[in-house]
Amino acid sequence: MAKKLPVIAVVGRPNVGKSSFFNRIVGTRLSIVDDTPGVTRDRIYAEAEWCGKRFAIIDTGGIDDGRDDEIFASMREQAMIAMDMAELIVFMVDGKEGVTSQDIEVAELLRRTSTKVLLIVNKIDGQKLPDGFYDFYELGFGDPLPISAANMTGLGDALDAMIEGLPGGGGGGGTRADGGGGVSGGDGSGVSGGGGGGEDGADGEDGEDGEEDDRIRLAIVGKPNVGKSSFVNALVGENRVIVSETPGTTRDSIDTPFSFGGEEFTLIDTAGIRRRSKVSESIERYSVVRAIAAIERSDVCLVMIDASEGITEQDKKIAGIAHDSGKGVVLAVNKWDLIEKDTKTMDAYRKKMRAELPFLSYAPDVFISVKDRQRLNNVLDTVSAVNANCALRVPTSPLNSLIRDAVAMKEPPTDKGRRLRIYYVSQVGVRPPLFSFKINKRDLLHFSYARYLENRIRDVYGFLGTPISFVFREKGSGDE
């Protein structure tokens, strides 16, 4: 069982450099960085290590009491949740602008917590401190630490102070532990993260990374405002991600650990993917890239569709991205509560959906209402089954018997008197399942016959929810 990592939350008013600081710590651009205030809207989690001490760090949206719109109110709520979770709060301010009224308001908010606060002054680019630097003492959190996240100066001192501020104190001496993937950055490439729990499978203490590798990584994808964030919140029972009627609210991909029925999941809520013509802001473009990246690092994709809108061209494109990635796919038709129904409505909708998405004939579907919490458990049961199918291996001997029977039932195609011959087949990969066929001549193979063979394999072994791939090699070609 993995140890619970101490949590550090990075908070402050908008546009002081919190995301740049976070990205330097974890060594990758997990959070969107942009000069527009309010870009980072949800809590972003990552793990890192410094001097042998591992910790989780949360990037938050800016706290702005001067804005009364829904998005900024939600950002404040998310920041408050992160602060409640944290063992240490990094309060970040802008050294170029000096102390602002917003900084004072955030400081007053932080003084109401019992959590230790570390004050970091960002954007101190030179050796000389600006004239207004000492004004930050007025905020009441002790000695402010000057850094420049953009230029990577002062990060070591800041990390030392962060580790000292965590329960248990320092991390043992100033040298990075071997094999831990600790924080570094002397080459200017950025501070590398702690290797925690990701897909790379790096070794970690107490099996922490191994446990994360066992989780089913579920990416929830779809158009904006189809209910992706509401789905995550309904499962975990809290406002884990911001839910709003405004399309495009979720701009980052948010990871949420979750347990159900004895299975461990990582739910990846993603930004809604718009048509390219609708993606005008650079932030929106970043969000689409992150959504696609979330698909790439997932095990299963939950493609969410708005039942009230039907299958749109954008739904087809998003489903195509999931299909082309080789991941498991489950179709979730949300907002089913809005549809007037009789006993034939679901079958009729399913038939039309299958006609619109013929390339996903293998993907199961679940008709849900996140609002009414209908069939949400069915989704997770289906995802678990699909994940198992993605890793399913077929023994070679029964596989070859199956193909021989299939060939006997339907003769392979011929061309100019020559007939396709299949000598041998074996499964050579999983995620997605990959089958290698040894044949006499590739030119004799027609795609319709390959589809026939795929259908015969699915008839026997199912492979529900996962694409399967074939590679055909000529006998004596030298291919392995």
Side-chain angles (χ1 to χ4, degrees):
M1 193 70 179
K3 297 184 296 183
K4 180 182 181 297
L5 295 180
V7 176
I8 299 173
V10 184
V11 303
R13 62 181 175 84
N15 210 31
V16 296
K18 298 183 298 298
S19 294
S20 294
F21 176 74
F22 174 87
N23 291 338
R24 293 299 191 187
I25 298 299
V26 303
T28 182
R29 294 190 64 175
L30 288 181
S31 286
I32 298 171
V33 181
D34 195 281
D35 290 334
T36 306
V39 168
T40 301
R41 291 174 169 176
D42 290 299
R43 288 168 284 153
I44 312 297
Y45 294 74
E47 294 181 12
E49 178 177 342
W50 180 251
C51 299
K53 180 81 170 183
R54 296 188 66 200
F55 58 93
I57 185 167
I58 307 175
D59 182 26
T60 68
I63 300 173
D64 187 351
D65 280 344
R67 299 284 293 272
D68 58 1
D69 62 81
E70 178 190 2
I71 294 297
F72 274 86
S74 295
M75 287 164 55
R76 175 189 171 92
E77 179 186 359
Q78 293 294 325
M80 294 294 291
I81 294 173
M83 288 158 55
D84 289 342
M85 296 173 59
E87 281 79 26
L88 174 71
I89 297 171
V90 169
F91 176 20
M92 183 160 289
V93 293
D94 187 329
K96 289 184 176 179
E97 294 190 11
V99 178
T100 69
S101 59
Q102 288 176 286
D103 292 327
I104 294 172
E105 290 172 355
V106 175
E108 291 176 352
L109 186 67
L110 293 175
R111 275 192 285 273
R112 300 173 197 163
T113 74
S114 58
T115 306
K116 184 171 181 178
V117 177
L118 176 65
L119 178 62
I120 292 182
V121 184
N122 192 24
K123 305 183 185 180
I124 306 297
D125 298 326
Q127 295 286 336
K128 183 180 178 181
L129 297 177
D131 293 338
F133 179 81
Y134 295 98
D135 294 341
F136 289 108
Y137 279 91
E138 299 174 5
L139 296 174
F141 297 106
D143 295 334
L145 285 173
I147 71 162
S148 171
N151 296 332
M152 294 188 62
T153 57
L155 293 184
D157 290 340
L159 283 160
D160 286 342
M162 289 161 60
I163 295 302
E164 287 294 332
L166 290 173
T175 6
R176 181 163 60 91
D178 290 338
V183 180
S184 63
D187 62 354
S189 61
V191 183
S192 66
E199 49 247 304
D200 296 334
D203 292 335
E205 296 178 350
D206 301 319
E208 292 171 10
D209 293 328
E211 176 169 313
E212 178 66 24
D213 285 345
D214 291 337
R215 291 181 176 274
I216 300 172
R217 290 168 294 192
L218 175 63
I220 301 104
V221 300
K223 297 180 304 184
N225 210 32
V226 295
K228 301 184 298 298
S229 296
S230 297
F231 174 78
V232 173
N233 289 342
L235 290 182
V236 302
E238 63 163 316
N239 289 330
R240 174 61 185 84
V241 290
I242 296 170
V243 178
S244 169
E245 292 299 319
T246 305
T249 300
T250 300
R251 285 175 170 165
D252 291 293
S253 297
I254 316 297
D255 288 11
T256 302
F258 177 70
S259 299
F260 172 79
E263 294 266 26
E264 298 293 324
F265 295 82
T266 295
L267 307 176
I268 310 172
D269 182 29
T270 63
I273 303 176
R274 299 169 184 260
R275 295 199 306 274
R276 185 176 298 274
S277 61
K278 295 290 184 81
V279 183
S280 55
E281 298 179 60
S282 62
I283 300 166
E284 294 282 358
R285 289 196 295 271
Y286 294 153
S287 298
V288 172
V289 170
R290 278 164 174 73
I292 294 172
I295 291 173
E296 290 297 329
R297 65 187 178 89
S298 70
D299 298 311
V300 180
C301 297
L302 186 70
V303 178
M304 192 164 286
I305 294 166
D306 188 330
S308 63
E309 294 185 1
I311 308 300
T312 67
E313 286 301 315
Q314 190 63 0
D315 289 322
K316 296 177 185 178
K317 291 178 181 177
I318 294 167
I321 294 171
H323 169 74
D324 291 342
S325 71
K327 310 297 181 179
V329 178
V330 176
L331 298 170
V333 183
N334 189 26
K335 306 184 184 180
W336 194 238
D337 55 296
L338 301 180
I339 302 299
E340 293 186 12
K341 296 176 282 290
D342 58 30
T343 56
K344 299 180 180 179
T345 304
M346 186 177 293
D347 287 340
Y349 197 104
R350 179 179 287 121
K351 184 177 181 180
K352 183 175 181 180
M353 179 170 64
R354 295 302 178 179
E356 296 283 353
L357 302 171
F359 54 90
L360 286 180
S361 59
Y362 58 85
D365 53 58
V366 186
F367 290 75
I368 66 174
S369 168
V370 173
K371 177 184 175 184
D372 295 339
R373 302 184 63 86
Q374 290 181 351
R375 304 185 188 90
L376 301 191
N377 289 353
N378 291 2
V379 172
L380 295 175
D381 287 335
T382 304
V383 167
S384 180
V386 167
N387 181 66
N389 286 332
C390 292
L392 179 64
R393 286 187 178 273
V394 179
T396 301
S397 179
L399 177 62
N400 279 272
S401 295
L402 186 159
I403 295 300
R404 283 196 296 270
D405 290 345
V407 170
M409 290 174 61
K410 182 176 181 179
E411 287 190 340
T414 60
D415 182 44
K416 297 179 181 178
R418 296 192 64 190
R419 185 176 300 280
L420 173 70
R421 295 186 62 187
I422 300 174
Y423 301 110
Y424 182 78
V425 59
S426 63
Q427 185 178 351
V428 295
V430 294
R431 298 191 180 279
L434 174 62
F435 296 88
S436 176
F437 288 75
K438 188 70 72 173
I439 62 176
N440 60 334
K441 195 71 175 174
R442 287 193 187 94
D443 293 345
L444 297 174
L445 180 72
H446 192 269
F447 75 89
S448 62
Y449 199 77
R451 177 60 59 86
Y452 164 73
L453 296 175
E454 176 183 339
N455 290 338
R456 297 291 73 75
I457 291 175
R458 289 190 183 277
D459 287 343
V460 175
Y461 293 102
F463 287 110
L464 180 71
T466 179
I468 62 178
S469 299
F470 290 168
V471 58
F472 295 92
R473 297 187 172 105
E474 294 182 3
K475 187 176 181 180
S477 64
D479 293 337
E480 294 299 325

